[in-house]
Amino acid sequence: MTHPETFAWLLLLAAVVGLVALLSYRVTRWIRVPASVLMLVVAAVAVQVLSSVDAPPGESVERIVTVALAFILFEGGMSIGVPRFRSQARTVGLVGVLGTFLTALGVAVFLHAVVQLDWYAAALVATAIAPTDPAVVFSVLGQQEIEGPSGTVVEGESGANDPVGIALMISLLEAGGISGDAMAHVVGEFALQMGVGLVVGLVGGVLIRRFAEVVHLPDSGLEPIRTIACVLLLFAVATLLQGSGFLAVFVAGVLMGEVRTPYRRDLERVFGGLASLGEVIAFVVLGLTVSLSTLGHTDVWLPGVALAIVLALVLRPLLVGPLLVGSGLSRNERWFVLLVGLKGAVPILLGLLILGSDVDDPNRLYGIIVVAVLLSVSVQGALVPTMMRRLGIRTRPAEP
């Protein structure tokens, strides 16, 4: 087969997988399974069935998903905005930062005591599975959005705990183990990433917003291009300064939520589309890295199922629940926030980082994470509409 023909087959496969992924959003209206599950499964099956399709290199997947997550987090920050974030800043900070640490600690203890993983492997898997993903919830709700402060907390928690989980994972991998010196390194590296990311996000967000408000462009189509370039610039600067680029773009997105520009609606529409496209791309390319044969091993799927159940029904309510006391949320709203802590692309991306780490049987650890995520988004995600009705959580049509 000639090189142009091979390239054409790759384009054909990419187009078919992309169309199937997009059509899966329609399927979710009937089966109430998040579209992200279907995307990941279709991609994983394609690699398994089609012998000519190889899993992409891990480094390429990491880069693609990183860019996709940057736009997802920026758009998530824009959708929250400064007033909404300020109203729930305390709660978002507690559950997004402290809640992530407590969840990771609780999961690590469970994996070490029950699954018999050593402490370092347990800490890596626990850190990977700690972040949440509200995009999965919103894909189930379709054209509906959550009313009241609970929606802000759900969105804000993920915007905060995604950078926290990623920074913590990078710090653990650089430490290479768990010891007194290693933990000191983890704390220092984590503080550096969060501090630099926050400062770059605040300064960069103000500058980008000022740039958009003062320097007007002659065409509405140029406004999103300028902002896209600024988001990538901000992420790169924060990363080069040893900070969290993910936190930087999320904070900048919150500040951009109140931008005053004639093309604001065009900006929101384009970034809404970029976030949706980013979700599709992230789950498809991550699905290409999943080995279905590995997931079928008893020492993979059984711990994964146990982890998903214990995390959703025991650890998250027990560890994160107390942080919601005094938040102003009603009891039903607090239960809703706890029960919709769904997992998504970030845990799988962090699991992918484990594959390249110096740890025993990384494929098994990655498989456990994938199983836990699949169970979370398919079973727990499918129950979201029922939970909302039982708890009296209202939704309204999302503004087009």
Side-chain angles (χ1 to χ4, degrees), residues 49 61 98 100 159 261 293 300 349 357 389:
V49 174
V61 173
L98 182 57
T100 304
T261 171
S293 59
V300 172
L349 172 63
S357 65
R389 287 194 300 269

Side-chain angles (χ1 to χ4, degrees), residues 57-81:
E59 185 177 358
S60 299
V61 173
E62 292 170 20
R63 292 174 177 175
I64 293 172
V65 177
T66 293
V67 174
L69 286 175
F71 288 119
I72 291 172
L73 286 172
F74 182 80
E75 192 276 336
M78 282 189 65
S79 67
I80 296 175

Side-chain angles (χ1 to χ4, degrees), residues 166-190:
I166 293 170
L168 184 58
M169 175 63 78
I170 293 174
S171 301
L172 283 171
L173 291 175
E174 290 182 353
I178 296 181
S179 63
D181 293 338
M183 287 299 96
H185 175 80
V186 168
V187 172
E189 182 67 23
F190 177 81

Side-chain angles (χ1 to χ4, degrees), residues 10 44 59 72 79 97 112 116 139 145 151 193 211-212 232 235 273-274 297 329 336 339 364:
L10 290 175
E59 185 177 358
I72 291 172
S79 67
V97 180
H112 178 71
Q116 301 298 309
S139 68
E145 58 185 26
Q193 290 196 47
F211 185 28
L232 296 176
F235 185 92
L274 277 176
H297 296 164
L329 301 177
F336 172 69
L339 293 175
R364 180 195 177 203

Side-chain angles (χ1 to χ4, degrees), residues 239-256:
T239 303
L240 291 173
L241 294 176
Q242 307 303 311
S244 171
F246 297 102
L247 180 60
V249 296
F250 174 71
V251 172
V254 172
L255 295 176
M256 280 289 289

